[in-house]
Amino acid sequence: MNENDIEHLKTAISVAWMAREHGNHPFGAILVDAKNQVLLTAENTVLTERDSTGHAESNLVRFATQRFSSAALAGCTLYTSTEPCAMCAGAIYWSGIGRVVYALSEIDLYEIVGPSPDHLYLPCREVFAHSQRKIEVLGPEPSLDTEARAVHMDFWTKIEE
C-alpha cells in the first residue's frame, strides 16, 4: 500500500463519518481513477433509504456503472472504510472495477459489532477468488486501524437500544 492509498482510505473513513452523521451505518467508499483523481464518493444509506442493499460500496458501484464504461472502471480503485461484504464484492466484480483497498477487515468489524445473525463471514478475497477476473485487493491497513475502528465505536450499541 502506498501513500496515495493511505490518503484515499482516510477519505473513505471521512465519508463513513458523514454516513453516521446522516443517520446511517458508518461505512464510506470512494472511486479513484488511474490518474489518482477521485471520481465518486458514496455513503451507506441502509437506514435512511430503508434499503438493506444500500451499502456504501454497492451505492458507489450503482453510481459508477451509470457514468463510466467497464473499460474505464477496470482502471479504477474502490477505496472503502471497511472490507466489502459478499454482496458488495459481487457488485464490485460485476462492475468491472479492477482494484479494492480497505482499511478495516470484516473480522475486525464483527469484533466491534458483536454477535449477530446478520453476519456473513465471507471475506471479499474469497468471493473474488471464485470469479473469472482478477481483482487486486489490499487491506486491512494497520496504520489506520484506530481511525477505521473509531467510526464504529458506540454506534452499534445505540442501534440495538
Side-chain angles (χ1 to χ4, degrees), residues 4 8 24 40 46 53 55 57 60-61 66 69 72-74 77 86 92 95 100 115 117 119 138-139 145 149 152 156:
N4 287 329
H8 290 310
N24 285 296
L40 296 169
V46 166
T53 67
H55 294 192
E57 300 90 345
L60 186 84
V61 165
Q66 292 170 352
S69 69
L73 291 173
T77 300
I92 292 164
S95 74
V100 174
H119 295 172
L138 297 177
D145 187 67
R149 287 174 179 271
H152 294 283
W156 300 100

Side-chain angles (χ1 to χ4, degrees), residues 1-22:
M1 209 169 294
N2 63 41
E3 192 174 305
N4 287 329
D5 292 329
I6 302 291
E7 288 307 309
H8 290 310
L9 284 175
K10 287 179 181 180
T11 301
I13 294 167
S14 294
V15 174
W17 277 108
M18 288 189 296
R20 182 175 175 159
E21 290 166 13
H22 294 141

Side-chain angles (χ1 to χ4, degrees), residues 82-98:
T82 305
E83 181 176 2
C85 71
M87 175 188 70
C88 292
I92 292 164
Y93 170 74
W94 282 301
S95 74
I97 293 170

Side-chain angles (χ1 to χ4, degrees), residues 50-68:
R50 300 185 63 156
D51 177 0
S52 61
T53 67
H55 294 192
E57 300 90 345
S58 63
N59 287 339
L60 186 84
V61 165
R62 193 174 305 108
F63 302 148
T65 57
Q66 292 170 352
R67 291 171 178 79
F68 305 105

